Structure formats: C-alpha cells, structure tokens
C-alpha cells in the first residue's frame, strides 16, 4: 500500500542544480538509497531458515523504508531543479520565438549541474550517480551468509552517512 | 558545502536514519555474537553539529525502527530492542509500525520543458493516415494491391 505522504518534510528554498547533482550520488550512487533499497529487499526475498525470521523481518522493514528514502531524495532533487533555468516566458506565448531576442529556455543546462537533468529528464531526478553513471544492479550483494550480509549492510550505512556529511557543512 | 535548505532537510534526515539502520545491523550482529566494533571500526562523524541533525537526534529518530508491517506480523522487535549499540550509550531501541508522514505536493508545470505538440495540419494528416490504416486492417483485401 502506498501512502500519499513523504517520509520527511522537504523544506522549500531556491532552485540549486549543483546541489541537485550532489544528491544524485545519494540516490543512484554505489552507496545510495536505490542500492540500499534493492540490497535489503533482495536479502529479504532470498532469506532462508524460518528460525531466523526476526532477521528477515528486520531486513524487510529497513528495505521497505528505503523505498520511502528513494521517494524522498528523488523528489528533493526534482524540487532543487524545478525552475532552475530562471526562465520566465510570457504567459500567452510561454516559449520565445527563436532568434527573436527573447530569453533562451534552459540555457542554464550548458553551464550548471548535470546537463542530462535538462536534456534527458525534464528538470527531474535520474537513476544515476553524481557523475552520470547509471545505477547498477551489480551493486546489490546478497551472499546468503547472514553475518556477512549484516556486516556488509553496516558498512553500507556507515559509508552512506559519511558521504552525506560533507554536503551539509 | 551547501546552505540550501531543501538539500539540508533531506540530507539531515537521511543521516539520522542511516544511524538508525547502523544501530539495527550492529544490534543484529551483537545478537549473533559478533564484536562488530573490532571487526569494522566506524569513525565518529559528529553529525550532530549540524542543527538539523541535532534536532532529529533529540527526537530519538536514530533509535527507532519501523516495521511497515500492515498485519503487525513483523518480529523485527525481537532484535531491535533493549540497549542501543555502543555508539549511542544509554539509549533504548524501539519499533513502531510507520513514521508520521509529511505533505506530498505536486510540482507546477514547466512549459519550457515540453515540445508544443503537433500543429493542426500535422494532426489532421496523422488522423487521416490512422483511419486509412484502420480501414486496411478491417478489410484486408479491399485496399491491398498484392
């Protein structure tokens, strides 16, 4: 079931394509939310041994939460990109005539952030990391050894947290 | 690096939830007899120096785990309970079904991102072609030259 609410509040501020692109690492990077989501869910789907059910349920709960994190960070990126071209066409003819001396829509795409946010997407988030590498299912690791998987997940969360700290300084 | 409030609110929240998940995996390892702190030393980041992170930590968000179990069949609370792992001394772990939600609004239209669409003449041509193809499909022999 999907609840039409976000897991945390997105505080409105100025558009910021560079900040949006930094957040792409947290969404589609090797230690990003898409990876944690898929890793914990696959570990849950593949879980063996009924006596270990509390461990499977823990993985399921965290994996499910990560879906909400993917939703939150992707929406945040979208909000940071929204309106970032600073383009205000007239209300009646919102797209200026080419070469008519008006503003050029999306001209910011040539100098800011990730050009794919404007060329491939429509001022929206993409399933890629901060330098544009597409998210890869090869990031997902499920050894079948519970201790190894838990240790690996602990490393994943710690690294994810460490990577986020520079962007708030 | 970024003073942007939109970025900071989301990053602060995710930092604190990362800590909650670290607690979950560290606690699970402890129940299996693993001394995770010796196996995997984790540097202290002092993320609480960011005011947004501090506020969320004070709400206890780093020691809470959600089950998202609609029928309440999750047994995650058998692991995620009691004293929190070494990094949060004195705190107690607890589970809840779901977190409180926040409004999810839909962004405004951005006309500069969309092509203006087909002009009327091209639209009429597309329609005429489609009708011709439909007629051909319904009566295969009528318009067929071969």
């Amino acid at each position: 079931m999907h609840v039409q609410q976000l897991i945390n509040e997105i505080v409105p501020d100025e558009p910021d394509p560079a900040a949006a692109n930094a957040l792409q690492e947290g969404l589609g990077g090797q230690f990003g939310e898409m990876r944690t989501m898929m890793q914990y869910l696959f570990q849950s789907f593949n879980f063996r041994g009924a006596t270990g059910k509390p461990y499977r349920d823990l993985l399921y709960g965290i994996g499910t939460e990560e879906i909400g994190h993917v939703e939150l960070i992707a929406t945040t990126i979208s909000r940071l990109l929204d309106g970032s071209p600073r383009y205000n066409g007239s209300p009646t003819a919102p797209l200026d005539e080419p070469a008519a001396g008006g503003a050029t829509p999306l001209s910011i795409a040539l100098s800011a952030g990730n050009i794919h946010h404007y060329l491939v997407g429509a001022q929206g988030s993409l399933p890629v990391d901060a330098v544009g590498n597409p998210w890869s299912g090869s990031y997902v690791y499920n050894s079948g050894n519970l201790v190894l998987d838990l240790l690996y997940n602990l490393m994943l969360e710690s690294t994810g947290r460490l990577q986020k700290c520079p962007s708030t300084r | 690096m970024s003073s942007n409030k939109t970025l900071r609110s989301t990053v602060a929240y995710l930092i604190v939830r990362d800590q909650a998940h670290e607690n979950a995996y560290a606690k699970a390892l402890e129940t299996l007899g693993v001394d995770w702190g010796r196996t995997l030393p984790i540097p202290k980041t002092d993320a609480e120096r960011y005011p947004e992170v501090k506020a969320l930590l004070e709400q206890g968000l780093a020691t809470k785990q959600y089950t998202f179990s609609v029928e309440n069949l999750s047994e995650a609370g058998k692991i995620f309970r009691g004293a929190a792992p070494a990094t949060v001394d004195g705190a107690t772990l607890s589970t809840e079904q779901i977190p409180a939600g926040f409004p999810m609004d839909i962004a405004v239209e951005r006309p500069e991102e969309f092509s203006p669409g087909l002009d009327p003449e091209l639209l009429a041509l597309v329609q005429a072609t489609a009708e011709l193809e439909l007629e051909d499909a319904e009566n295969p022999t009528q318009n067929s030259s071969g």
Side-chain angles (χ1 to χ4, degrees), chain A residues 135-149:
Chain A
W135 184 80
S136 169
S138 300
Y139 299 151
V140 173
Y141 187 56
N142 174 205
S143 71
N145 177 320
L146 182 60
V147 170
L148 177 57
D149 284 350

Side-chain angles (χ1 to χ4, degrees), chain A residues 5-6 8 11 13-14 53 55 57 65-66 76 79 82 123 157 161-162 164-165 168-169, chain B residues 1 4-6 8 10 13 17-18 21-22 31 42 45 50 73 75 102 105 110 112-113:
Chain A
Q5 290 180 328
L6 288 168
N8 193 52
V11 178
D13 200 348
E14 293 287 299
K53 183 173 181 291
Y55 296 94
D57 291 351
E65 179 178 346
E66 299 292 356
T76 304
R79 293 295 184 276
D82 186 48
Q123 292 175 53
E157 293 290 341
R161 178 166 54 88
L162 286 171
K164 284 178 195 93
C165 285
T168 44
R169 231 161 247 162
Chain B
M1 191 186 290
N4 188 289
K5 294 193 191 86
T6 307
R8 291 180 72 93
T10 290
Y13 179 79
R17 290 311 294 161
D18 280 353
H21 296 168
E22 283 176 55
T31 67
I42 297 173
T45 48
Y50 310 122
L73 292 175
E75 295 176 34
F102 293 84
D105 59 324
R110 291 291 173 192
E112 69 270 24
E113 281 288 5

Side-chain angles (χ1 to χ4, degrees), chain A residues 1-16 19-20 22-23 33 40 43 53-55 57-66 69 71-73 75-76 79-80 82-83 85 87 94-95 105-106 117-118 121-123 146-148 150-151 153-155 157-158 160-162 164-169, chain B residues 1-26 28-29 31-32 34 36 39-40 42-47 49-50 53 56 64-68 70 73-76 78-80 98-116:
Chain A
M1 277 185 278
H2 181 248
V3 179
Q4 293 200 3
Q5 290 180 328
L6 288 168
I7 202 164
N8 193 52
E9 182 189 11
I10 296 177
V11 178
D13 200 348
E14 293 287 299
D16 188 340
L23 282 185
E33 304 295 336
Y40 307 155
Q43 287 175 356
K53 183 173 181 291
Y55 296 94
D57 291 351
L58 189 74
L59 289 165
Y60 248 124
I62 301 177
T64 306
E65 179 178 346
E66 299 292 356
H69 289 184
E71 184 178 65
L72 176 70
I73 198 164
T75 310
T76 304
R79 293 295 184 276
L80 284 166
D82 186 48
Y87 174 74
L95 293 172
L106 303 174
H117 281 149
Y118 306 92
Q123 292 175 53
L146 182 60
V147 170
L148 177 57
L150 290 171
L151 202 58
N153 297 350
L154 180 59
M155 177 279 293
E157 293 290 341
S158 321
R161 178 166 54 88
L162 286 171
K164 284 178 195 93
C165 285
S167 63
T168 44
R169 231 161 247 162
Chain B
M1 191 186 290
S2 180
S3 57
N4 188 289
K5 294 193 191 86
T6 307
L7 176 143
R8 291 180 72 93
S9 64
T10 290
V11 167
Y13 179 79
L14 293 174
I15 284 174
V16 176
R17 290 311 294 161
D18 280 353
Q19 275 182 250
H21 296 168
E22 283 176 55
N23 275 322
Y25 294 127
L29 284 163
T31 67
L32 295 167
V34 177
W36 59 268
T39 315
L40 179 69
I42 297 173
K44 181 100 174 69
T45 48
D46 295 328
R49 71 177 179 271
Y50 310 122
V53 172
L56 295 171
K64 211 181 283 177
Q65 191 49 56
Y66 308 109
T67 64
F68 295 99
V70 177
L73 292 175
S74 173
E75 295 176 34
K78 287 183 177 174
I79 299 165
F80 201 85
I98 51 164
F102 293 84
M104 179 188 254
D105 59 324
I106 298 178
V108 296
E109 291 92 343
R110 291 291 173 192
E112 69 270 24
E113 281 288 5
F114 300 100
S115 65

